[in-house]
Amino acid sequence: MYPSQQAGPEGRHAAPGSMPGQPPRMVGMNGMGGPQVASTYNALASFVTYVKALESLDRNHFPDEYADHSDRIRELKPFLRAHGILDVMDIKNPEVAALIGV
C-alpha cells in the first residue's frame, strides 16, 4: 500500500489478518510468510527477468539498455548468494555467468 492508503485509526479498513496501524505482513510464494521468503522470490524473479531481457537484446544496437540490464544482474549477485540460489543453480549463459562471477 502507498502511505496515503495505509490502514489507520481514521476508519479505513485494514488488510485481512492485520491490525490497523501495523505494517502489512509480507507473504512469500508458499504462503509461509516472512520477509526472507518474499525477498528470495523477488531476487530470483528479478534475476530471471533481467537475464531473459539481456539475452533478447543486441549489444551493438542497444548498448545503453544492455549495460543497464548487466548492471541490474550484477546488483542481484549478493542477494542470490545470501539466499543460496547460486549454490544450487547453474548459469547456462556464459556471458551472464561472467557478469556475476560464477
Side-chain angles (χ1 to χ4, degrees):
M1 279 194 259
Y2 292 102
S4 63
Q5 296 175 339
Q6 281 186 338
E10 63 276 351
R12 292 190 181 122
H13 295 287
S18 67
M19 298 296 293
Q22 289 183 338
R25 234 182 26 184
M26 293 180 68
V27 178
M29 233 171 78
N30 62 4
M32 305 274 298
Q36 185 172 2
V37 173
S39 65
T40 302
Y41 172 73
N42 291 339
L44 184 57
S46 294
F47 176 76
V48 171
T49 300
Y50 282 114
V51 168
K52 292 290 188 184
L54 186 80
E55 289 177 337
S56 69
L57 284 175
D58 181 357
R59 173 187 274 190
N60 298 321
H61 288 100
F62 303 100
D64 294 336
E65 291 85 353
Y66 194 91
D68 287 342
H69 291 327
S70 297
D71 290 342
R72 299 297 176 271
I73 290 169
R74 277 191 218 95
E75 290 171 1
L76 289 168
K77 179 183 177 180
F79 299 103
L80 298 172
R81 179 134 351 257
H83 295 298
I85 302 298
L86 297 177
D87 296 333
V88 298
M89 182 174 77
D90 289 329
I91 309 295
K92 292 181 181 180
N93 184 324
E95 193 170 339
V96 173
L99 278 175
I100 59 174
V102 292

